[in-house]
């Protein structure tokens, strides 16, 4: 959770760079809490806890797909 909060804070502080279209902060924090519980339960999966950013040319449910275009 701390790492996700740090990343979200950095993204918010540098919003002037227009790097992210949508942060999905609430969903990221919920996922981080679930990940922390898996670490606590010793059931962490490979790559558990990694924070990633997806380019908007990858179609994912619940996210805008613009492919970097204003159309």
């Amino acid at each position: 959770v701390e790492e996700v909060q740090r990343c979200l804070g950095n993204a918010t502080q540098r919003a002037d760079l227009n790097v992210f279209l949508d942060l999905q902060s609430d969903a990221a924090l919920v996922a981080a809490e679930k990940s922390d519980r898996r670490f606590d339960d010793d059931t962490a999966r490979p790559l558990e806890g990694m924070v990633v950013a997806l380019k908007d040319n990858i179609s994912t449910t619940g996210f805008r797909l613009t492919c970097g275009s204003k159309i």
Side-chain angles (χ1 to χ4, degrees):
V1 171
E2 292 95 13
E3 182 66 15
V4 170
Q5 289 172 331
R6 185 185 68 76
C7 290
L8 289 171
N10 287 342
T12 302
Q13 275 184 325
R14 297 308 314 257
D16 58 309
L17 296 176
N18 294 321
V19 174
F20 297 105
L21 297 175
D22 194 1
L23 288 176
Q24 297 281 323
S25 302
D26 294 336
L29 289 169
V30 168
E33 290 170 0
K34 290 178 183 178
S35 180
D36 281 351
R37 281 195 294 276
R38 282 191 286 272
F39 274 110
D40 292 342
D41 296 341
D42 250 355
T43 58
R45 304 168 296 183
L47 302 178
E48 188 80 56
M50 299 296 295
V51 178
V52 298
L54 295 177
K55 187 160 178 58
D56 72 328
N57 64 351
I58 298 172
S59 181
T60 53
T61 302
F63 292 87
R64 287 188 289 168
L65 178 64
T66 67
C67 297
S69 174
K70 293 184 181 187
I71 61 169

